[in-house]
Amino acid sequence: MPDLPRPTDAELEILTVLWSRGPSTVRAVHDVIAQRRPAQYTTILKLMQIMAEKRLVRRDEEQRAHVYEASRPREWTQRQLAGDLLDRAFAGSAAELMMGALAARKASKKELAEIRRMLDQLEEGR
Amino acid sequence: MPDLPRPTDAELEILTVLWSRGPSTVRAVHDVIAQRRPAQYTTILKLMQIMAEKRLVRRDEEQRAHVYEASRPREWTQRQLAGDLLDRAFAGSAAELMMGALAARKASKKELAEIRRMLDQLEEGR
DNA sequence: TTGACACGACGAAGAGCTTCGTAGTAATGT
DNA sequence: ACATTACTACGAAGCTCTTCGTCGTGTCAA
């Protein structure tokens, strides 16, 4: 399984749309993005074409309106990004990353409980 | 307190050196970085000059060899970066970011315990 | 004092990212 | 059939990032 380049900001925005919508046309992705910020159709098209070259997405050309799909599931890419940031900014310390994340956006009680549950599960498995 | 642009990869590498060493000359930063990868002195110099323009670092020109210092403490920048990634890739879910981080680089038992301690402290404070 | 060295300033090249306009062509409706 | 619309492909501009070489000048030792 060859690894992929880290997606840029604009690319990541497109990936999030593909993850939430599933396989989509450029039109559909553009409509979602244009709703939150100005963006020309051809800009999104070009980005998605480049992403296909980079293998960040797969393209089905069966239909005239090509259908794009993220080539990796959300969890996989999230893992890459988290690991990357961990190495580059947190010297590998997951605890510090946790600190940073919780300080940045205060999490709900529900979320904190979920994190605990995750930790339990992790230690059980060992 | 004006906010700062997100540091690029090369800039972040320099910041980590400044955080760990404290105020340093270009020479000192270069020596650290050149130890792990090929890098010309003037490349590091140029980067640090640009970082000064961007206000990512402060420069003391008293001595002939200027002394550079990160303009924000490590924790502050880490918080920015974690929050940024949280928004861009994790839809704001700290739990998922945690998931990603722990899946990416398995943490030690000690580290997991530390994370728990942090959670405890967070909930107490409320 | 003069030669060797150290340092900052600067320009520029090459790559990547992001944006958009234009052109060509297929599909659709009147 | 013909005009309009929808779609892809492509090129290019403008910007940022990263790299490096060169220049001018200050510093220091022999």
Side-chain angles (χ1 to χ4, degrees):
Chain A
M1 193 140 334
D3 52 5
L4 300 174
R6 170 152 52 105
T8 65
D9 286 1
E11 289 168 349
L12 186 52
E13 185 183 19
I14 288 172
L15 284 177
T16 61
V17 175
L18 290 179
W19 285 325
S20 84
R21 285 189 37 95
S24 307
T25 61
V26 174
R27 174 66 53 194
V29 173
H30 171 257
D31 286 352
V32 171
I33 290 176
Q35 214 168 316
R36 28 189 202 225
R37 66 176 182 93
Q40 291 299 327
Y41 174 84
T42 55
T43 298
I44 306 298
L45 169 64
K46 180 69 155 186
L47 280 170
M48 292 175 74
Q49 284 170 343
I50 291 172
M51 290 170 77
E53 276 173 24
K54 294 187 188 174
R55 306 287 166 133
L56 288 171
V57 297
R58 266 191 305 271
R59 174 166 58 177
D60 176 1
E61 310 184 359
E62 279 301 300
Q63 305 301 321
R64 181 158 112 84
H66 301 171
V67 175
Y68 290 78
E69 181 181 7
S71 70
R72 294 285 185 276
R74 177 171 47 199
E75 293 73 19
W76 187 93
T77 301
Q78 285 179 333
R79 183 150 38 87
Q80 303 297 308
L81 292 172
D84 178 71
L85 188 63
L86 208 47
D87 290 343
R88 289 189 301 108
F90 292 86
S93 162
E96 281 190 40
L97 173 52
M98 195 68 223
M99 261 300 264
L102 293 180
R105 316 272 184 272
K106 46 195 85 197
S108 65
K109 247 186 169 40
K110 211 183 291 280
E111 196 151 25
L112 295 184
E114 199 182 337
I115 292 172
R116 271 182 211 285
R117 214 153 5 87
M118 235 182 291
L119 290 175
D120 292 341
Q121 211 164 355
L122 249 173
E123 294 195 335
E124 246 176 65
R126 177 141 328 260
Chain B
M1 195 145 329
D3 52 5
L4 301 174
R6 169 152 52 104
T8 66
D9 286 0
E11 288 167 350
L12 186 52
E13 186 183 21
I14 288 172
L15 285 177
T16 62
V17 175
L18 291 179
W19 285 324
S20 83
R21 285 187 37 93
S24 307
T25 62
V26 174
R27 173 66 53 194
V29 172
H30 171 257
D31 286 351
V32 172
I33 290 176
Q35 213 168 317
R36 28 187 203 227
R37 67 176 182 91
Q40 291 300 324
Y41 172 84
T42 55
T43 299
I44 306 297
L45 169 64
K46 180 68 157 186
L47 280 170
M48 292 175 75
Q49 285 170 341
I50 292 173
M51 290 170 77
E53 276 173 24
K54 294 186 187 175
R55 307 286 166 136
L56 287 171
V57 297
R58 266 190 306 269
R59 174 167 57 177
D60 174 2
E61 310 183 0
E62 279 301 299
Q63 306 301 322
R64 181 158 113 84
H66 301 172
V67 175
Y68 291 78
E69 180 181 7
S71 69
R72 294 285 185 276
R74 177 171 46 198
E75 294 73 19
W76 187 93
T77 302
Q78 286 179 332
R79 183 151 38 86
Q80 302 296 310
L81 291 172
D84 179 70
L85 188 62
L86 209 47
D87 290 343
R88 287 189 302 107
F90 291 87
S93 161
E96 281 190 39
L97 172 52
M98 210 56 229
M99 254 309 257
L102 294 179
R105 315 273 184 272
K106 48 194 84 198
S108 66
K109 247 187 168 40
K110 210 182 294 278
E111 194 150 28
L112 294 184
E114 198 182 339
I115 292 173
R116 270 184 214 284
R117 203 157 37 72
M118 241 185 275
L119 289 175
D120 292 341
Q121 211 164 354
L122 248 174
E123 294 197 335
E124 250 176 61
R126 177 135 330 257

